[in-house]
Amino acid sequence: MATLRFFAAVLGLASLIGPLDLAAITLRSPDPVAMSLLAGELDGKGLQDVIAGQKGKVVLVNFWATWCVPCREEFPDLTRLQNALGPRGLRVVGVSTDLASALPGVHKFLADQKPAFPNYHKKSGGDDQDFIEAVDKGWGGELPFSVLYDRGGRKVKTLSGKHTFAEYEKEILALIR
């Protein structure tokens, strides 16, 4: 546990690691480089813990995969959003839905992108439909898919498909003001 907190502090993730149910989120590797690329593995409960740990911030959770061309195309805009609106109260969180066998590609993608926000991996195993319904019962599993939460942690909007920086910014600014 001390090692986990040390790496979390080094990576600037202490605010995320502290309130999380560690049984629901397990680190993929003790390698600090790998840990900086994926903060952990999430199931539906773990995701709710991450969101709850961000009270007071507007949270944009983006579900993506390396095989998804629109996901890869919008990913740089998510970093731009975090950099531009983070100081005003935004927290972007990414969740890779890639299969566990694709994790080397996920790590490479994240190393290339250098996102300014934490990214997690959907927990391996289990029923994908259970995960989808835990996120949003109206989600059909399409990617990219984003969920916007207000400062109180309440889900206020889902955004299906690829969106531009300007489209995200408009929705987020309405909640930050």
Side-chain angles (χ1 to χ4, degrees):
M1 184 66 140
T3 303
L4 173 65
R5 293 212 184 278
F6 169 76
F7 284 124
V10 169
L11 300 171
L13 299 172
S15 64
L16 291 177
I17 298 297
L20 297 179
D21 175 5
L22 294 177
I25 299 174
T26 57
L27 294 175
R28 303 291 300 166
S29 167
D31 175 4
V33 173
M35 287 174 58
S36 69
L37 298 177
L38 282 178
E41 189 172 71
L42 293 177
D43 59 11
K45 183 181 182 319
L47 177 61
Q48 294 310 313
D49 289 340
V50 168
I51 294 161
Q54 298 299 314
K55 286 249 174 149
K57 295 184 185 253
V58 171
V59 180
L60 176 68
V61 181
N62 178 262
F63 297 89
W64 59 276
T66 56
W67 52 262
C68 168
V69 173
C71 298
R72 291 192 323 262
E73 290 173 348
E74 84 171 357
F75 204 87
D77 282 341
L78 299 174
T79 291
R80 280 184 56 212
L81 283 164
Q82 181 61 55
N83 289 336
L85 300 177
R88 295 179 60 190
L90 172 67
R91 182 56 155 175
V92 176
V93 175
V95 181
S96 164
T97 61
D98 285 280
L99 297 174
S101 61
L103 282 176
V106 173
H107 285 273
K108 182 177 178 346
F109 176 77
L110 291 172
D112 292 345
Q113 291 293 314
K114 298 175 182 60
F117 54 91
N119 277 269
Y120 295 85
H121 184 256
K122 182 183 106 21
K123 188 171 182 177
S124 302
D127 185 89
D128 287 341
Q129 192 60 40
D130 289 343
F131 179 80
I132 288 168
E133 288 180 13
V135 172
D136 186 270
K137 291 190 188 308
W139 181 22
E142 67 279 3
L143 294 175
F145 185 77
S146 296
V147 183
L148 192 56
Y149 296 85
D150 68 12
R151 291 182 185 270
R154 290 177 299 275
K155 185 186 313 181
V156 294
K157 185 148 190 142
T158 59
L159 300 138
S160 183
K162 178 183 166 189
H163 289 79
T164 65
F165 177 89
E167 290 168 331
Y168 278 124
E169 182 183 44
K170 179 183 174 190
E171 297 294 339
I172 293 164
L173 286 176
L175 297 172
I176 286 179
R177 293 184 183 161

